[in-house]
Amino acid sequence: MCLNNGHNEIDKPEMKPEVNVSADETELVAQLRRYLNEKLTYLLEQNGIVSIGVSGGSMPKVFTKAFLETTEELKNLNWKRIRIFMVDERNVEKDDDDSNLGAYLKLFPQELHEIFIPFTCYRDARHTAHGYEMNLRKYLFPEQNGTFARFDVVFLGVGPDGHTASLFPGKERLDKVTELHWVAAINDSPKPPASRITLTMQCLQNAKNVAFIITGIQKAEIVRGIWNRELRYPAAQARPYNEKLTLFLDEEAAKGIPERDSSDSESPPPFE
Ligand code: 6PG
């Protein structure tokens, strides 16, 4: 069997992400609902606890709407079997306006706040990261793939610079905080606030399902980078080994999908 196409590359068909393009937020929420319903239905049958990672920025509003509508549809849902955790977090208290967890807690009904994995904020982000990793292990007991956790579903956003979670281009070498190294600390985030904690790239790559939610023409270049596996972008590196990668895009961000780009001469400017 030929393992090599003569150019020292493994000759395997390149799987492309599943792409959902929405005309507006209503359609995006409907697409997220279908995705969440499919994943939760399957995973709740398979697992004791289902772990869902979410990001900050503009994600809390659309994710929360889709998640609450989906869970209303699920029959006999046992809330104790769903846990939501932050993929990354600013090193601030949850009542701070910059807190990702705080953004979700403001949107979720009080009685569901207990499904979120808590963390304690310390002045030194490395301590915050260490404590959060211990909580992820304690509350989630995710399947482990060697030393890395296998979270069930991870929702990611991207920045116009190609970052995802709090993993930024050129800053991939992060402070290791534990021997297992699921969570890292960063103190010079180009996106404020500077002090953050984040799942490591290996944890994102070991997830069973990764879904990006990306909107706006300023991110079309990063969509192209994900599509073409341009690894200078951390967002393009955050690809699960099992290739279960889904993109939720609006029509502007979808212009980064090459086949869709031909219909529009105004292809997005290359990211400088
Ligand atoms: C954060 C986020 C970050 C975010 C992207 C996109 O804490 O800032 O986790 O990774 O997902 O920067 O943010 P927007 O969706 O707001 O553009």
Side-chain angles (χ1 to χ4, degrees):
M1 174 179 74
C2 170
L3 282 180
N4 181 319
N5 58 9
H7 304 291
N8 297 322
E9 291 161 5
I10 299 293
D11 192 8
K12 77 181 182 101
E14 187 178 274
M15 279 181 67
K16 290 297 185 187
E18 185 184 321
V19 177
N20 301 273
V21 181
S22 54
D24 54 29
E25 187 175 284
T26 303
E27 189 178 1
L28 168 59
V29 168
Q31 290 169 350
L32 288 171
R33 252 183 38 218
R34 282 194 293 275
Y35 178 83
L36 277 165
N37 191 301
E38 176 209 330
K39 297 299 179 188
L40 282 174
T41 301
Y42 173 77
L43 288 164
L44 285 169
E45 280 165 20
Q46 302 293 317
N47 289 9
I49 279 191
V50 178
S51 53
I52 302 175
V54 291
S55 298
S58 62
M59 188 178 290
K61 182 168 171 266
V62 288
F63 174 84
T64 303
K65 194 164 169 44
F67 180 83
L68 294 180
E69 289 175 8
T70 301
T71 46
E72 272 172 21
E73 295 163 356
L74 294 177
K75 303 272 180 291
N76 312 318
L77 175 64
N78 175 355
W79 282 106
K80 293 196 182 318
R81 297 184 58 206
I82 297 183
R83 288 283 181 274
I84 299 180
F85 64 94
M86 297 301 118
V87 165
D88 67 326
E89 179 57 285
R90 296 79 180 277
N91 194 34
V92 295
E93 296 293 346
K94 66 183 180 216
D95 56 3
D96 188 300
D97 287 345
D98 275 332
S99 167
N100 289 339
L101 176 57
Y104 284 96
L105 296 182
K106 287 187 185 106
L107 293 165
F108 268 69
Q110 178 71 36
E111 63 272 18
L112 293 185
H113 285 190
E114 63 182 8
I115 73 173
F116 286 87
I117 302 299
F119 76 101
T120 303
C121 179
Y122 297 94
R123 195 177 55 75
D124 183 336
R126 287 171 300 177
H127 296 161
T128 306
H130 184 276
Y132 186 50
E133 178 161 332
M134 293 305 114
N135 277 358
L136 288 174
R137 289 160 49 83
K138 182 171 80 176
Y139 286 92
L140 284 183
F141 21 89
E143 287 167 58
Q144 287 187 233
N145 189 0
T147 58
F148 290 104
R150 283 206 74 204
F151 296 112
D152 291 314
V153 187
V154 168
F155 285 92
L156 298 175
V158 303
D161 61 356
H163 81 260
T164 191
S166 288
L167 302 165
F168 292 85
K171 293 181 179 299
E172 282 86 354
R173 219 204 62 72
L174 296 163
D175 295 347
K176 290 197 175 209
V177 289
T178 69
E179 69 293 342
L180 277 179
H181 194 38
W182 293 0
V183 183
I186 174 171
N187 283 315
D188 57 352
S189 165
K191 176 179 181 183
S195 180
R196 292 160 169 250
I197 62 172
T198 181
L199 281 193
T200 57
M201 185 59 76
Q202 295 89 339
C203 269
L204 302 183
Q205 291 166 338
N206 275 281
K208 295 178 190 169
N209 299 275
V210 171
F212 281 97
I213 303 176
I214 307 174
T215 58
I217 190 65
Q218 76 282 11
K219 298 179 182 179
E221 172 55 24
I222 307 308
V223 170
R224 188 193 311 279
I226 293 170
W227 187 264
N228 294 331
R229 299 184 187 219
E230 294 171 22
L231 299 183
R232 68 178 183 278
Y233 298 135
Q237 298 172 37
R239 193 183 199 93
Y241 292 128
N242 64 10
E243 301 282 353
K244 287 188 177 176
L245 178 63
T246 305
L247 306 182
F248 292 96
L249 311 173
D250 69 356
E251 289 171 353
E252 290 301 288
K255 288 175 180 171
I257 303 288
E259 289 78 21
R260 292 178 67 88
D261 193 22
S262 55
S263 62
D264 176 354
S265 57
E266 292 151 45
S267 57
F271 176 71
E272 274 85 31

